[in-house]
Amino acid sequence: MASQEPLLQSEEHRPFRLRFPSLSFFHHWATGQPLRETESLDYEPIYNKVYFSRRKQPDRRFYGYTGHTLAKFFVTSATGLVTGLTAAACAATLEFVFARKQQAVQYMIDVVHHKTLYAAFGLHLLITTGLLMFAACLVQFWAPTAAGGGVSLVMAFLNGTDVPDLLRLQTLITKFVGSIFSCAANLTVGTEGPLVHMGACIASVIAFWECGSYNVNGKTLTFGEWMSSWCCCSIFRKERRRYSNGVMEDDSTEPPFHTDADHREFVSAGAAAGLAAAFGAPVGGVLFSMEEACTHWSRKVAWRCFLASAVSTFVLAQLHPKGYTGMLSFDSKRSLMYNRDWLFQMPLLIAVSLAAGLLGAAFNLLRRGLWRIRASRKRPGLRILEVFTCGFITLATIFMMSHFFGQCVQLPNTWMADSYGFAFTCPSGQYNDLATPFMSMPGDTIRYIFSVEGGSKGRQDYMVCNETSACHFTPRSLGLLSGIYLLLMALASGVAVPGGLFMPSIMVGASFGGMVGLNLLMWLPESWNIQPGVYAVVAATAVLAGVFRSSISLVVIVVEGTRGIDFLFGIIIAVVCANWIAQFVHKDGVYESELDHDGNVFFLRTEAPNALQYKTASDVMASPVVGFKAVERVDTVVEMLRTTKFNGFPVFPADSDIEAGAAYQDRLEGMIMRSQLLVLLQNQVFTDSQGRLLSGEVPSQRLEMQLDCQMRSFYRTRYMHRHSLASRPEVIDSLRMEDPVQQSQGQVDASTSGRQDAAENWARKARPGENEVVLLPVEATRLYLDLRPFMNVAPLAVRRRTVAARVHHIFQSLGLRHLAVVEPRGFVVGIITRKDLGLASHGKNHYRSQEVTHLVNMY
């Protein structure tokens, strides 16, 4: 007889180790798209028998604390530190690339072809094509979720949806490299939105770092295989994990250090740190995380966000080459308005804010209109061609507008000292007023627009602004810049390269406000003290509000970013007016419209849609219900897992309880998750109909704790970045289980090798101290799984007549995955998931697939 190893080191049986399918990137190379089968996250804790028994055991504490609090402090601080370093590296790299590119283009204009643009355009097109193609190929074939800004997908994750590969290390690398290349190619995108996504990735990677490389079938993984398999676990687990055939073997009885809820807190802190580093606004980063990114907010989340934001801002301030703390930093003393000036100019500020808010809403409409002609995500070749076309149109527009509409103006001394200003085809000592903002670092251009002086000196300069009199920009150039940038921003916002919308939105608003301010400066008397820089700040804030529909967080971000508390009144006016006017044009902000358009995510908003006010739980629930008995047959469980993609199952009373009259059939006893059932099948913890192990013994508390630990850490060790893979039939098929039920009456047909192997696999018993395996007599009864120690004994449930809006509030506030609908006596009549709420709220719109079949495994 074959030898038998002990189960989980200290029990009588060793678990059969599932060989879960490895993550393959063939899908990326074939279609350029990720496996977009999204799935809900388990933010709700599981309260089962093992949980309550573990709580009775005293924890090891040092002065009232375990090591978890200190470990989380280090994770949060490290997230802020690395995010600040990333932001500084991104800014420094972009500044270097822009400077070298300007020198090369100017050299081609001045020396090679003597003020002709053909060679310069060809060189610039070659550089742009190379940068964009590399970024697009990275996105299409290595990390598709790195496309765009990524803020909306981070919001979806924090809302409770597992987006495949969203927080992987390769996504972080692609986001960093792709953002730099996209901006360096003069595409009208920014790095601020990607920094939010990068901060979230950094937090996830730090919290669940690789426990060390391992071998698969005796073969050492290459770097590419290691990156592809990136099976992460916590760096703070005391025991070192072991791997067998790529699957972790864990004999710990301690619950996992990080749950989905803890992971959510770290990702929230990373998102806040990313935005704080982008704008130099630590408090603004916290408020942005609270107002926009996070769905579930608490005091702990607030502290983690504040710590990470403060650390990232401090690091960026120390390392930024010019000492700026964010994109909006500028010398605000040059644009000073007094209290009475704000009162007199309030009608003008309101008018500018309304107009800029309409610009932001117009961008959202343009972007939605372009969705209909975008290349399909299933066509990677067309997506890459779309990137090239967008880059070519952008570059051609910049050269043509600068050549035909640009004006040569005397270069100011302040610009000359800072090496700002692009001559293009102008003589030495002059700059092209259109080529300069298009070809220079966008952050530098925004700072100089914000710094445009008013008063008597500014009025005198701009009245005689020409080739011999220096001035900072011209009204004509700023007006053209605003309109062209708006169109190019809408064109570039949906292509398959990393890039955000913060910077281009600010550029559109700043140039528009600067144009209005310069015209008012020349039209109105000097006593009005018109400051074009103030109008630029107000209009930039209004465009941001029209695009993103933020309020309090936007006010704080702009105030902190500009380091100008004197602008607070105008900023508040801009946010209020822009949000008000934009609602009449388009009710949703850019993030909400992105999530609706994605079609793979059902995002639960803070407020329940009006459609749910007139529906009840019975109108939105899924019925009939598929569930298991508390002690269920193995073949029933296996067949249900193989033929369905449900992730949660209600548990009904066992047959023994029903026969004894202690319970009613179909009455809700608890909830069991697919991951828990897979762990039980993996370890072959089979029982008889009474819940006793095949050895005749009652499962020990240690065995139950070990199994519960594996259940709670299931997605930490397998499919961490693609939870939906656990719902595929291949996972069950990989068990290669024969029918566990032997139809013989107590005898095993030894003449059939298949039956013999099945009997040894399913009904063997190791005697302590002996190596031989004794086959148990297989009776006519079947093998069972006892779900009672592991099922959630306190699942939430509602009645049929509960208003659907209240169900939405329960889901949104508690982070639920499943909600049972029961009759008065506890009989289960339906299950509600976020998909059911999403379909009841919006129906099947033209953005989602007709049958939404690719989302069935989300629940």
Side-chain angles (χ1 to χ4, degrees):
M1 307 295 288
S3 62
Q4 174 75 359
E5 300 181 15
L7 172 64
L8 295 173
Q9 302 298 319
S10 60
E11 299 295 332
E12 293 181 312
H13 298 281
R14 180 179 178 82
F16 173 75
R17 297 301 176 188
L18 278 171
R19 287 194 61 184
F20 291 93
S22 60
L23 298 179
S24 173
F25 285 89
F26 173 78
H27 182 78
H28 293 337
W29 290 101
T31 66
Q33 289 300 306
L35 297 173
R36 294 302 302 273
E37 294 178 321
T38 54
E39 183 177 316
S40 295
L41 294 169
D42 296 321
Y43 286 154
E44 182 189 15
I46 297 178
Y47 299 106
N48 53 23
K49 171 188 171 183
V50 181
Y51 171 86
F52 290 110
S53 62
R54 182 182 285 116
R55 292 302 94 191
K56 297 177 182 179
Q57 299 178 359
D59 294 332
R60 296 181 180 179
R61 294 180 177 273
F62 181 75
Y63 289 100
Y65 291 94
T66 62
H68 291 179
T69 303
L70 181 62
K72 292 177 181 179
F73 171 82
F74 282 122
V75 170
T76 306
S77 301
T79 298
L81 174 64
V82 178
T83 303
L85 293 173
T86 303
C90 187
T93 305
L94 270 178
E95 186 169 350
F96 174 80
V97 173
F98 266 96
R100 301 289 83 77
K101 188 178 64 174
Q102 275 193 7
Q103 291 177 0
V105 173
Q106 194 65 57
Y107 177 80
M108 297 296 293
I109 295 175
D110 294 340
V111 179
V112 178
H113 279 265
H114 305 288
K115 304 301 180 181
T116 59
L117 299 178
Y118 299 109
F121 179 78
L123 174 63
H124 204 306
L125 180 61
L126 181 63
I127 296 173
T128 297
T129 302
L131 294 175
L132 289 180
M133 290 301 98
F134 186 80
C137 289
L138 275 180
V139 169
Q140 286 297 114
F141 302 127
W142 201 43
T145 51
V151 179
S152 59
L153 293 182
V154 173
M155 291 171 56
F157 177 86
L158 296 176
N159 189 255
T161 301
D162 175 65
V163 181
D165 299 332
L166 177 66
L167 303 175
R168 294 176 71 97
L169 179 63
Q170 65 194 56
T171 304
L172 171 61
I173 296 173
T174 303
K175 204 76 173 184
F176 178 78
V177 176
S179 299
I180 294 176
F181 283 15
S182 301
C183 294
N186 282 110
L187 212 61
T188 50
V189 294
T191 60
E192 293 71 34
L195 272 174
V196 176
H197 189 184
M198 283 188 274
C201 291
I202 290 169
S204 179
V205 170
I206 292 176
F208 301 103
W209 190 259
E210 174 68 25
C211 291
S213 59
Y214 52 89
N215 296 341
V216 175
N217 296 329
K219 175 179 175 291
T220 302
L221 296 182
T222 63
F223 177 77
E225 293 170 336
W226 176 76
M227 292 289 294
S228 300
S229 57
W230 192 255
C231 173
C232 300
C233 62
S234 171
I235 60 176
F236 295 104
R237 291 298 298 272
K238 294 181 180 180
E239 66 278 356
R240 181 173 180 83
R241 300 183 182 274
R242 301 179 307 281
Y243 292 87
S244 175
N245 292 328
V247 179
M248 190 190 73
E249 301 179 5
D250 191 358
D251 59 353
S252 172
T253 61
E254 294 295 324
F257 176 73
H258 295 309
T259 62
D260 279 342
D262 293 324
H263 195 197
R264 177 184 64 194
E265 294 178 6
F266 294 135
V267 172
S268 302
L275 189 111
F279 292 97
V283 179
V286 176
L287 292 178
F288 174 83
S289 185
M290 178 188 71
E291 185 179 4
E292 292 290 339
C294 293
T295 302
H296 311 282
W297 191 256
S298 65
R299 185 177 180 182
K300 290 194 304 181
V301 176
W303 274 110
R304 298 198 203 291
C305 291
F306 182 71
L307 176 61
S309 299
V311 172
S312 67
T313 306
F314 176 78
V315 171
L316 180 66
Q318 300 302 314
L319 297 179
H320 196 281
K322 293 186 178 180
Y324 295 119
T325 56
M327 184 183 66
L328 304 181
S329 301
F330 73 102
D331 185 9
S332 59
K333 295 181 180 179
R334 300 174 61 185
S335 302
L336 184 62
M337 288 175 58
Y338 302 101
N339 294 336
R340 191 62 59 88
D341 297 333
W342 289 105
L343 178 62
F344 289 155
Q345 298 181 33
M346 184 184 297
L348 299 176
L349 294 172
I350 292 176
V352 170
S353 300
L354 293 174
L358 287 175
L359 287 177
F363 163 75
N364 284 346
L365 288 180
L366 285 173
R367 190 165 179 265
R368 288 171 62 91
L370 289 173
W371 282 341
R372 303 180 184 275
I373 61 175
R374 292 287 184 192
S376 172
R377 293 180 178 179
K378 299 179 181 180
R379 305 289 296 276
L382 290 181
R383 292 276 283 174
I384 295 177
L385 179 61
E386 182 184 36
V387 173
F388 170 77
T389 304
C390 180
F392 178 81
I393 293 175
T394 300
L395 188 61
T397 302
I398 291 174
F399 270 75
M400 291 178 59
M401 296 301 296
S402 300
H403 179 68
F404 292 107
F405 298 96
Q407 180 181 355
C408 294
V409 182
Q410 185 68 29
L411 189 66
N413 294 330
T414 54
W415 288 12
M416 190 178 301
D418 294 337
S419 300
Y420 181 77
F422 188 55
F424 204 53
T425 57
C426 296
S428 178
Q430 298 180 7
Y431 74 96
N432 187 296
D433 61 353
L434 266 181
T436 294
F438 275 123
M439 305 286 284
S440 301
M441 277 280 294
D444 293 340
T445 300
I446 292 170
R447 277 191 284 268
Y448 283 116
I449 295 177
F450 285 172
S451 302
V452 172
E453 288 186 83
S456 58
K457 184 179 185 306
R459 179 184 176 86
Q460 181 181 0
D461 290 343
Y462 287 97
M463 289 294 289
V464 294
C465 186
N466 52 41
E467 296 181 3
T468 59
S469 178
C471 62
H472 303 79
F473 303 107
T474 60
R476 177 171 167 272
S477 66
L478 290 179
L480 290 172
L481 176 65
S482 179
I484 296 170
Y485 224 89
L486 178 65
L487 297 177
L488 295 179
M489 169 185 169
L491 180 64
S493 61
V495 297
V497 293
L501 300 176
F502 280 104
M503 185 279 296
S505 299
I506 295 173
M507 181 73 83
V508 171
S511 55
F512 174 77
M515 177 199 67
V516 174
L518 288 176
N519 284 312
L520 292 176
L521 178 66
M522 292 185 289
W523 295 340
L524 297 177
E526 184 179 334
S527 59
W528 279 68
N529 190 27
I530 298 295
Q531 299 291 337
V534 172
Y535 282 84
V537 172
V538 170
T541 307
V543 172
L544 285 173
V547 172
F548 300 102
R549 308 299 164 83
S550 302
S551 55
I552 300 175
S553 62
L554 182 57
V555 171
V556 178
I557 288 171
V558 177
V559 169
E560 284 188 302
T562 58
R563 295 182 293 182
I565 191 65
D566 295 328
F567 303 141
L568 179 61
F569 182 72
I571 293 171
I572 292 176
I573 290 178
V575 170
V576 173
C577 294
N579 273 282
W580 178 77
I581 194 67
Q583 290 291 334
F584 291 99
V585 179
H586 184 254
K587 66 177 182 178
D588 290 330
V590 65
Y591 297 141
E592 291 79 6
S593 61
E594 272 188 3
L595 291 173
D596 285 342
H597 171 69
D598 183 87
N600 290 274
V601 175
F602 286 100
F603 184 80
L604 298 183
R605 306 193 184 191
T606 304
E607 300 293 334
N610 291 331
L612 298 183
Q613 301 288 346
Y614 307 100
K615 296 181 180 180
T616 62
S618 60
D619 297 327
V620 302
M621 69 183 184
S623 183
V625 177
V626 175
F628 299 116
K629 297 177 182 179
V631 181
E632 186 60 86
R633 287 166 28 183
V634 171
D635 59 337
T636 301
V637 175
V638 170
E639 184 65 20
M640 191 64 65
L641 294 181
R642 179 184 285 113
T643 57
T644 69
K645 292 187 176 181
F646 302 130
N647 278 281
F649 303 89
V651 179
F652 309 120
D655 291 334
S656 58
D657 296 333
I658 297 175
E659 294 172 358
Y664 298 98
Q665 189 176 5
D666 294 338
R667 182 171 180 175
L668 182 63
E669 292 289 319
M671 291 286 293
I672 193 76
M673 304 300 296
R674 173 182 286 265
S675 58
Q676 295 176 289
L677 296 172
L678 288 176
V679 170
L680 290 176
L681 291 175
Q682 168 192 347
N683 290 277
Q684 295 191 4
V685 188
F686 303 130
T687 67
D688 58 18
S689 60
Q690 303 301 317
R692 295 185 297 266
L693 291 177
L694 297 181
S695 60
E697 301 176 357
V698 177
S700 67
Q701 185 179 19
R702 177 175 175 78
L703 172 61
E704 292 178 349
M705 287 186 176
Q706 292 169 353
L707 293 170
D708 184 68
C709 177
Q710 291 190 27
M711 294 174 181
R712 294 180 185 272
S713 61
F714 182 82
Y715 289 115
R716 298 280 73 81
T717 57
R718 307 173 186 90
Y719 315 124
M720 178 180 175
H721 298 286
R722 293 187 183 182
H723 290 190
S724 60
L725 292 181
S727 302
R728 293 192 166 194
E730 291 84 354
V731 175
I732 301 300
D733 295 337
S734 65
L735 288 170
R736 303 184 183 279
M737 296 181 298
E738 302 286 345
D739 186 1
V741 181
Q742 308 297 329
Q743 299 298 333
S744 61
Q745 298 181 0
Q747 299 291 332
V748 177
D749 186 2
S751 62
T752 304
S753 59
R755 290 293 186 182
Q756 179 71 22
D757 294 339
E760 291 183 0
N761 285 336
W762 290 94
R764 57 187 172 186
K765 172 185 175 182
R767 294 176 180 174
E770 298 182 8
N771 293 327
E772 62 176 333
V773 174
V774 179
L775 293 181
L776 295 175
V778 181
E779 302 175 356
T781 58
R782 298 172 180 262
L783 300 175
Y784 290 81
L785 290 178
D786 187 2
L787 309 182
R788 290 173 294 189
F790 312 105
M791 68 180 184
N792 187 355
V793 296
L796 292 178
V798 295
R799 300 287 183 86
R800 280 179 175 269
R801 303 293 294 176
T802 305
V803 178
R806 188 175 183 183
V807 174
H808 180 280
H809 177 70
I810 294 174
F811 261 88
Q812 196 272 341
S813 58
L814 299 181
L816 298 184
R817 188 171 185 178
H818 306 91
L819 183 65
V821 181
V822 297
E823 293 284 10
R825 290 189 177 184
F827 300 137
V828 183
V829 295
I831 294 290
I832 299 177
T833 63
R834 67 171 58 236
K835 182 192 73 171
D836 301 318
L837 289 174
L839 292 178
S841 301
H842 307 289
K844 299 174 182 177
N845 59 43
H846 63 281
Y847 294 129
R848 304 193 188 279
S849 62
Q850 295 181 355
E851 300 296 334
V852 205
T853 55
H854 61 294
L855 290 169
V856 69
N857 67 319
M858 187 174 178
Y859 312 103

